[in-house]
Amino acid sequence: MSVMGSKTKVLFFLVSLGGGGAERTCVNIINNLDRSKFEPVLVLGTADDARYIDLLCDDVKVIVLGAPRLRYVFMKLLRCIRKEQPDLLFTTMTHNNVMLLVVKMFLPEKIPIVVREANHWLGSNQIPTLAKWVVKFAYNHLADSIIALSKGVKRDLVEKFGIRDSKITVIYNPVEVKTIQQLACEPLQLDDHSQGKTVLAVGRLVESKDYVTLLRAFALVTQHVRARLVVLGEGQLEQQLKQLCSKLGIEDRVWFLGFKHNPYKYMRNADLFVLTSQFEGFGHVIVEAMAVGTPVIATDCKSGPGEIIEDNKYGLLVPVGDHRALAERIISVLENEDLRNGLKLAGSKRALDFDAIRITMLYEELFLDAVNGCV
């Protein structure tokens, strides 16, 4: 072991620390590692748009390589690893994973590498054959262990990429339940209560989040229930979505508020949280909404939401892209207080299954096994 004789030094690598779920997960793991056993070091390609940097614990060493794009990272990352001499390397997301695994081939000493796969889209036909081959080779032959953040992601890796089942461990996302609950209590002024019930959506304004289905559904909802839709997130489709709101005649009932560092106070003050993704590796925001006691409706997409909600036990599921079914579900929740309260209670209990301390202990066990050659 490298530092103080007994701690395992783990080097976490990310190109950036932007506002995505995978980056937030990495921060949660780092913050909750047992400091009596582990010394985390975070290496970033760039500090630009590092929205989660302030959430890191003060004792975490952060190294910025000054490489804003992945293709500029290689040599700087290689030199950094040689200098830091960690006991273990960890990263997440396919592009980061492949880069770190390629770097491994040029390291003079064998340092175990654990990679985390976060998305289900890997198995789509949009991925070039060469890219699939690269992932298959790198994961099977260079990674010491692979973490899939849901059973669906693991199944995708095995069936469509030919990754060995024995190399993959399913560990769900760690969610900072207590921290989220505290942040949710911060004051929030949405004003204009005449707008009625509040439906909330959180996520990047991109095609895979399928806000088109949500807006079409909400247009039907407003014909039956007085409500407003609040959307937190940024993305390339913002203007198109606003134009669709105008076309649907709901522009005065949909609020696009951009990215928020504290979305939890919005979740707590919402009557309902909705996720309409076409695919998800996990669906982190679902658990976050549950943690603050907000009922959840999500599409039954591959692969995370169904594993979290479990056949309508902890929330409600609707088919992907079905705006009419979604509208019916939203109306039923907004109009039925008993249903809302039941979903609040069930969701709050479910969120504890993903508490960061509990989940990070699974990471710690796997990290130590990798260092000791047990995986």
Side-chain angles (χ1 to χ4, degrees), residues 86-232:
D87 301 297
L88 178 74
L89 299 168
F90 174 85
T91 189
T92 181
M93 296 186 290
T94 313
H95 55 287
N96 292 329
N97 295 346
V98 172
M99 172 57 73
L100 190 59
L101 291 169
V102 170
V103 167
K104 174 184 179 177
M105 294 191 295
F106 294 86
L107 292 172
E109 64 282 346
K110 175 173 168 50
I111 302 175
I113 296 183
V114 176
V115 298
R116 172 183 174 272
E117 189 50 67
N119 248 326
H120 199 280
W121 57 260
L122 271 173
S124 75
N125 293 327
Q126 298 175 0
I127 306 301
T129 300
L130 178 60
K132 286 187 177 183
W133 183 88
V134 169
V135 170
K136 180 178 180 178
F137 175 82
Y139 284 21
N140 275 331
H141 299 287
L142 300 176
D144 292 87
S145 184
I146 303 158
I147 294 173
L149 81 166
S150 67
K151 296 175 183 176
V153 169
K154 176 176 180 176
R155 187 164 53 248
D156 195 51
L157 289 171
V158 172
E159 294 178 358
K160 297 182 179 178
F161 278 77
I163 310 302
R164 293 199 297 272
D165 183 282
S166 60
K167 298 201 74 166
I168 307 172
T169 302
V170 175
I171 303 180
Y172 290 119
N173 274 4
V175 180
E176 294 269 18
V177 174
K178 290 184 179 179
T179 300
I180 287 170
Q181 290 171 343
Q182 292 171 353
L183 291 170
C185 292
E186 287 186 1
L188 173 66
Q189 290 186 340
L190 275 177
D191 297 325
D192 195 6
H193 294 289
S194 65
Q195 294 268 352
K197 303 291 186 183
T198 298
V199 179
L200 178 68
V202 179
R204 292 172 296 119
L205 307 183
V206 295
E207 184 178 357
S208 65
K209 300 300 180 182
D210 198 8
Y211 283 101
V212 171
T213 291
L214 176 57
L215 294 177
R216 288 176 176 166
F218 190 70
L220 296 178
V221 170
T222 58
Q223 297 174 17
H224 300 271
V225 182
R226 188 159 185 80
R228 62 182 164 193
L229 172 63
V230 176
V231 179
L232 306 185

Side-chain angles (χ1 to χ4, degrees), residues 41-79:
V41 176
L42 176 60
V43 177
L44 300 174
T46 176
D48 295 344
D49 196 32
R51 290 178 167 170
Y52 293 140
I53 197 77
D54 293 337
L55 300 179
L56 279 171
C57 290
D58 294 338
D59 66 339
V60 179
K61 180 179 180 180
V62 179
I63 300 170
V64 180
L65 301 178
R69 295 186 182 277
L70 189 65
R71 60 177 176 268
Y72 303 136
V73 162
F74 181 84
M75 287 305 301
K76 292 183 177 182
L77 179 58
L78 182 61
R79 287 194 291 267

Side-chain angles (χ1 to χ4, degrees), residues 28-44:
N28 288 349
I29 296 168
I30 291 171
N31 286 345
N32 285 280
L33 282 177
D34 185 343
R35 295 301 195 268
S36 69
K37 300 177 182 178
F38 296 91
E39 179 202 2
V41 176
L42 176 60
V43 177
L44 300 174

